[in-house]
Amino acid sequence: MGNQSSPKKGRALKTSYEASTILRNYWETIHAAKKAGKPIGYCSGNAPVELMYAFDILPAYPENYAAVVASAKIALPLVQMAESKEFSHDLCSYAKINLGEVFWEGKGKPEMPFGGLPTPPDILLTTKIPCITQVKWWEVLRDVYHCPMILLDAPMLEGTVDNQPSEDQVDFVVDQLKLIIAQLEDFTHTKFNEEKFFHCLSLSDQAGGLWHDIIDLRGEAVPTPVGSREMCGNVFSLVAMLGTETPVKFYQKMKEELQYKTWKKIGAIPNEKYRLLYENIPLWYNLEMLSDVENKGAVFVFETYLRYVWGGRIDLTDPYRGYAKKILSDVFLNMNLQLRYDIMARDIKNYHIDGVVFHSNRSCKRYSLGYYELKEMLLERLGIPSVVIEADHSDPSGYSEGNTKMKLDAFIELLEERRNAGSRG
Amino acid sequence: MLVAGVDAGSNAAKIVLMEEDQILSHGVLKTGANSLGAVKDLLQHILEQQHKKMEDISDIVSTGYGRNYIPFATFQATEIFCHAKGVFRTMPQVRTIIDIGGQDSKVIYLDNNGRVADFVMNDKCAAGTGRFIESLAMALSVPLEEMGPLSVSAGQEITISSTCTVFAESEVVSYVAQGFPKSDIISGVHHALAGRVVSMARRREIRREICLTGGVAKNIGVVRWIEKELGESVRIPEEPQLTGAIGAAMIALERARQQ
Ligand code: SF4
């Protein structure tokens, strides 16, 4: 229960203001490269992008771009266009947004942010680590653009809470990486530049390490210096520019600012009462949802999506195996339910979490599996309450604002009652 | 100490006026999209009947979908909490509340102290809500209030299998065309709603006693099917659609006493 107070304005971190410039620069660079006749590759999020840089191919990210489109609140006509082209309603909305743009016919196409994805791509690189949808989606793009498509296969992780794949699994991915190198040599008619690859890996390692440090810093700090909405904007430079220097510099600066704020105990909101964990991809068309709770003294301090999809260190003493391990071990979607629970339980403790918000995401079914089981496990084993909201990360058509707001408000009331009951003994 | 609870729901606004722990008066107003303004008139009307004035009220709490749009309320709380409070007031033994409202349905699980321990609600469509019955009543040209009593005389069981309200309407129309008696079809409609709500409730352990709130709790046909599906009898407050407003008034009372 609570009174409405006015929302907080501005960013919590000064460094966050640089994110939009980085994003703009990225798009300008990639469009300029396309114009200059340089090869462009469409990459899915968890694909080995450092190999593209090693062959002087610039990556563009259709999934990431779909999120940009959804944040600009223009996803709906594209989704509808894809459906009118007989793509299933049940398909992931990232794919529908991209395919809606690719197959757009007639008038009324929304103005695409940053001038759209550079087209046509020269090569396509994807992986089945997060889902099979990406593979099928890339196959459609291959048919449209008549360009080669490369696929990195990888097994599902069934490890322990240390999140380590088995040696066999690592061997398998190393073989896959070598195969991709051979395919890229064929495509570019150039020899693989291993030195360049290792350099990119080192930059990825630094950026990925810094990102995880940032997540730890803001998660462990009480009060947390920065909420979720801002961090969802800050991840873009890691997603789109992994393997380059830009995210390394950006996150180094951000880390320093966070260290200062943590030391000074400067919180993102004036009176932090409840610390929340967000599970799944955010609602890109309604990031306000993440900050609305702040009016009631609640703040999202940790998101599995930001930690277990993006970032992570690479053991550079054994680069191929180190890289394979990183690819396999940091993706929540690629873990079984027990492992997810174990990891969440650990994070709930480390980040002093009071409650969990699950977003059951119509698009991303593999991410959203088992929520009611997890919910029960969290309550029974840890006494941590949670709520499940039902929506989609990029397609706003099935979203009910009133319902979602009510659920979140009621959830905060529940946390408040529990807290009051606890303090009464 | 005079307080008021306002439940600004999707179909109707409900107001309860309480003097200490006693309900003095209440009012219900069918609301459309633009009629939240009329809620204040209703409150004034209720006050006048009781020879009271707006200034006599110590605190007003609003709930329901329109809770943030009641400018004269001093505090907002969700229906989930208000229903828990409202039920606990007269039925402290209740541990599970099933609330079927116009726009959604919710199951609220209470702990032994009457506090909300967890809740689930449907939020995809109108399938498990009062709206489902309303639109099918319309398709059958039966006044809503008669749906319950009519279904009691049903003979054979009819299955409405579609979850979607619109598709269910065409199922209903085709049963009518095939000459099935209306009472049987209506009973099938109630069964479909009850099945959906109970399966949602089963996501957690359903502890006794069970209470049914919301306007649909007045429909005897739905109540019977819910009891059948649960294998348990359910309790129903005297004015089930007022539960949220009563809860809101109780929160107002707690607040006023603290001031
Ligand atoms: S289904 Fe999930 S993992 Fe696959 S493309 Fe969509 S959001 Fe990404």
Side-chain angles (χ1 to χ4, degrees):
Chain A
M1 288 168 269
N3 280 321
Q4 302 287 305
S5 60
S6 61
K8 193 176 182 301
K9 301 217 169 53
R11 308 262 154 90
L13 303 179
K14 269 202 209 108
T15 323
S16 303
Y17 286 102
E18 293 174 25
S20 53
T21 317
I22 292 174
L23 194 64
R24 213 173 317 115
N25 289 345
Y26 162 76
W27 284 97
E28 278 168 15
T29 312
I30 195 147
H31 280 299
K34 183 74 199 165
K35 252 193 198 141
K38 295 210 175 124
I40 303 288
Y42 282 3
C43 287
S44 55
N46 302 99
V49 64
E50 294 84 351
L51 288 175
M52 301 288 253
Y53 284 115
F55 283 96
D56 281 327
I57 302 168
L58 272 186
Y61 299 90
E63 287 160 273
N64 173 239
Y65 186 63
V68 172
V69 168
S71 317
K73 309 196 191 232
I74 52 168
L76 199 57
L78 296 157
V79 164
Q80 287 167 344
M81 177 57 74
E83 287 176 8
S84 78
K85 296 292 174 190
E86 293 180 18
F87 289 101
S88 160
H89 173 75
D90 293 328
L91 186 62
C92 169
S93 54
Y94 281 165
K96 283 198 279 186
I97 288 171
N98 174 244
L99 296 169
E101 186 189 3
V102 171
F103 288 97
W104 189 276
E105 226 175 39
K107 290 189 187 140
K109 184 177 174 185
E111 192 180 326
M112 303 303 285
F114 305 107
L117 282 167
T119 50
D122 301 281
I123 190 162
L124 303 163
L125 177 65
T126 190
T127 164
K128 72 173 233 338
I129 294 175
C131 71
I132 280 295
T133 303
Q134 298 201 345
V135 181
K136 296 287 143 198
W137 170 8
W138 258 236
E139 281 172 1
V140 173
L141 295 177
R142 179 186 60 191
D143 292 348
V144 171
Y145 294 117
H146 306 291
C147 62
M149 170 178 151
I150 297 177
L151 171 70
L152 174 100
D153 194 5
M156 183 186 246
L157 194 67
E158 293 181 24
T160 62
V161 72
D162 302 334
N163 201 359
Q164 288 302 312
S166 71
E167 290 303 306
D168 287 353
Q169 290 176 323
V170 175
D171 288 344
F172 180 82
V173 174
V174 170
D175 284 348
Q176 291 279 307
L177 291 171
K178 299 252 162 94
L179 200 66
I180 293 175
I181 292 169
Q183 288 171 296
L184 286 171
E185 282 183 328
D186 268 1
F187 170 70
T188 57
H189 306 293
T190 54
K191 231 156 148 66
F192 175 50
N193 184 341
E194 193 173 58
E195 203 180 315
K196 198 164 180 188
F197 173 55
F198 288 171
H199 176 64
C200 287
L201 280 191
S202 147
L203 293 172
S204 288
D205 168 50
Q206 290 172 58
L210 284 164
W211 180 249
H212 283 186
D213 290 349
I214 285 169
I215 285 174
D216 280 343
L217 268 169
R218 66 178 271 257
E220 284 163 8
V222 182
T224 190
V226 57
S228 198
R229 183 176 174 184
E230 194 166 319
M231 291 309 287
C232 286
N234 287 339
V235 76
F236 272 61
S237 95
L238 189 66
V239 178
M241 304 189 78
L242 194 66
T244 73
E245 271 178 15
T246 308
V248 180
K249 287 188 188 143
F250 179 54
Y251 294 131
Q252 182 58 44
K253 207 165 161 190
M254 186 172 290
K255 182 177 167 181
E256 282 160 20
E257 190 180 351
L258 275 170
Q259 279 168 327
Y260 174 78
K261 291 212 151 179
T262 309
W263 174 57
K264 286 276 185 190
K265 291 196 177 301
I266 303 171
I269 60 170
N271 182 15
E272 177 184 294
K273 287 200 283 186
Y274 310 107
R275 297 165 63 85
L276 305 177
L277 182 154
Y278 184 84
E279 157 74 7
N280 213 298
I281 304 172
L283 279 52
W284 293 114
Y285 50 89
N286 191 356
L287 289 175
E288 297 84 349
M289 188 200 95
L290 297 171
S291 53
D292 280 350
V293 297
E294 294 173 4
N295 292 330
K296 294 176 187 293
V299 59
F300 286 98
V301 305
F302 182 75
E303 310 75 19
T304 57
Y305 168 72
L306 294 183
R307 172 61 179 77
Y308 298 112
V309 179
W310 307 112
R313 300 294 313 261
I314 300 166
D315 177 6
L316 296 169
T317 57
D318 188 355
Y320 288 97
R321 296 187 72 74
Y323 190 38
K325 269 188 197 161
K326 188 241 162 182
I327 287 175
L328 276 168
S329 47
D330 265 318
V331 186
F332 222 43
L333 286 101
N334 201 39
M335 297 175 194
N336 67 15
L337 208 58
Q338 182 61 47
L339 187 51
R340 283 193 206 190
Y341 169 77
D342 291 343
I343 288 176
M344 272 175 91
R346 182 194 61 194
D347 293 339
I348 282 169
K349 189 164 161 268
N350 288 350
Y351 304 134
H352 321 289
I353 300 291
D354 298 303
V356 174
V357 175
F358 290 101
H359 164 206
S360 177
N361 184 348
R362 185 210 55 82
S363 269
C364 198
K365 293 162 187 84
R366 188 160 171 193
Y367 208 152
S368 311
L369 281 176
Y371 277 173
Y372 284 95
E373 284 74 13
L374 282 172
K375 183 174 160 56
E376 214 172 295
M377 284 159 91
L378 290 178
L379 193 67
E380 273 170 17
R381 299 187 194 174
L382 305 176
I384 292 289
S386 59
V387 65
V388 182
I389 59 161
E390 315 229 2
D392 186 283
H393 57 45
S394 292
D395 180 355
S397 59
Y399 175 63
S400 164
E401 173 105 12
N403 266 321
T404 309
K405 272 207 165 125
M406 207 262 275
K407 273 189 173 176
L408 291 177
D409 283 358
F411 188 55
I412 294 167
E413 290 171 347
L414 183 151
L415 293 174
E416 194 165 336
E417 278 229 328
R418 284 168 66 101
R419 177 85 44 97
N420 291 342
S423 63
R424 281 199 297 268
Chain B
M1 199 172 271
L2 189 69
V3 292
V6 179
D7 179 358
S10 56
N11 279 351
K14 290 128 298 194
I15 298 182
V16 165
L17 199 63
M18 272 174 81
E19 177 98 64
E20 297 303 334
D21 292 313
Q22 296 308 311
I23 296 174
L24 267 193
S25 178
H26 70 263
V28 179
L29 178 77
K30 278 270 171 203
T31 49
N34 303 316
S35 50
L36 279 177
V39 175
K40 192 166 187 181
D41 298 340
L42 175 66
L43 177 59
Q44 234 131 20
H45 177 70
I46 296 171
L47 283 167
E48 272 162 30
Q49 281 180 336
Q50 300 295 323
H51 309 292
K52 308 265 186 200
K53 295 189 294 295
M54 206 63 173
E55 302 79 74
D56 300 332
I57 303 182
S58 304
D59 203 41
I60 303 176
V61 170
S62 60
T63 185
Y65 277 89
R67 65 189 176 282
N68 293 327
Y69 306 106
I70 304 293
F72 52 89
T74 48
F75 195 76
Q76 296 79 30
T78 64
E79 301 91 293
I80 290 177
F81 271 72
C82 291
H83 276 256
K85 291 251 180 227
V87 167
F88 197 69
R89 176 175 173 270
T90 49
M91 298 182 228
Q93 315 82 341
V94 167
R95 296 290 171 267
T96 308
I97 302 170
I98 299 177
D99 168 45
I100 310 177
Q103 188 170 318
D104 62 38
S105 46
K106 317 172 193 74
V107 183
I108 307 162
Y109 307 89
L110 305 179
D111 68 13
N112 292 342
N113 300 309
R115 283 190 296 256
V116 177
D118 202 358
F119 58 87
V120 291
M121 61 185 272
N122 85 315
D123 49 2
K124 284 242 172 80
C125 63
T129 73
R131 201 55 62 83
F132 182 75
I133 296 189
E134 270 177 43
S135 25
L136 297 175
M138 220 140 45
L140 285 160
S141 308
V142 171
L144 193 57
E145 321 71 70
E146 285 174 29
M147 290 286 277
L150 265 177
S151 69
V152 176
S153 57
Q156 59 184 319
E157 273 195 24
I158 279 182
T159 311
I160 309 283
S161 45
S162 179
T163 316
C164 166
T165 306
V166 178
F167 293 167
E169 253 180 62
S170 44
E171 265 186 77
V172 160
V173 170
S174 94
Y175 279 126
V176 173
Q178 289 170 57
F180 284 91
K182 275 191 183 172
S183 56
D184 293 4
I185 305 174
I186 296 170
S187 178
V189 167
H190 293 157
H191 187 187
L193 176 76
R196 255 159 240 151
V197 173
V198 170
S199 74
M200 177 170 76
R202 289 200 198 285
R203 284 186 188 161
R204 285 210 55 182
E205 186 197 354
I206 302 172
R207 293 169 66 211
R208 294 183 53 229
E209 298 178 354
I210 304 160
C211 172
L212 202 58
T213 61
V216 177
K218 283 183 158 176
N219 178 324
I220 180 70
V222 176
V223 175
R224 285 195 181 166
W225 272 118
I226 285 188
E227 289 184 326
K228 218 171 184 175
E229 290 280 321
L230 285 169
E232 298 271 356
S233 59
V234 297
R235 299 187 60 180
I236 297 166
E238 223 169 280
E239 295 283 357
Q241 80 282 22
L242 288 183
T243 313
I246 295 172
M250 287 178 64
I251 294 168
L253 190 65
E254 280 171 23
R255 281 170 51 82
R257 281 175 177 163
Q258 276 165 15
Q259 275 158 21

